[in-house]
């Protein structure tokens, strides 16, 4: 499963790193790719993850998901 996340509040590579690790800590997640400039993250997982789990993982480290889009490949 692949999802595109729009994240609010990342301002430097330190923020990107925090979000990266927060997402990678979700056990189903296999890869995370974050672009600071566009504030967009691509997340891949081996199982479906509830959007609420993604949202709370990111809010736990101080950022906010404004949009989650499922990508069909
Ligand atoms: Cu930062």
């Amino acid at each position: 499963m692949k999802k595109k996340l729009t994240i609010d509040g990342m301002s430097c590579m330190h923020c990107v790193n925090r979000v990266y690790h927060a997402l990678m800590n979700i056990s189903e997640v296999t890869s995370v790719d974050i672009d600071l400039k566009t504030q967009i993250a691509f997340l891949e997982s081996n199982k479906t993850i509830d959007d609420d789990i993604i949202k709370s993982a990111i809010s736990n480290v101080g950022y906010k998901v404004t949009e989650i889009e499922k990508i069909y490949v």
Side-chain angles (χ1 to χ4, degrees):
M1 185 207 71
K2 195 167 182 177
K3 278 180 177 177
K4 179 185 168 188
L5 320 173
T6 308
I7 300 164
D8 195 43
M10 294 187 296
S11 57
C12 68
M13 285 314 287
H14 176 79
C15 301
V16 169
N17 225 29
R18 282 169 66 110
V19 171
Y20 176 84
H21 289 290
L23 292 172
M24 286 301 286
N25 273 342
I26 302 170
S27 56
E28 294 87 355
V29 173
T30 53
S31 87
V32 175
D33 185 32
I34 304 172
D35 185 67
L36 176 61
K37 212 175 260 180
T38 55
Q39 306 273 295
I40 284 170
F42 288 98
L43 176 153
E44 276 185 88
S45 65
N46 53 20
K47 264 189 211 163
T48 304
I49 304 169
D50 202 83
D51 283 356
D52 286 342
I53 291 171
I54 296 170
K55 284 177 188 169
S56 68
I58 291 177
S59 74
N60 281 346
V61 290
Y63 306 94
K64 193 173 186 282
V65 180
T66 54
E67 203 184 320
I68 298 181
E69 203 180 305
K70 195 168 180 182
I71 294 173
Y72 297 91
V73 284

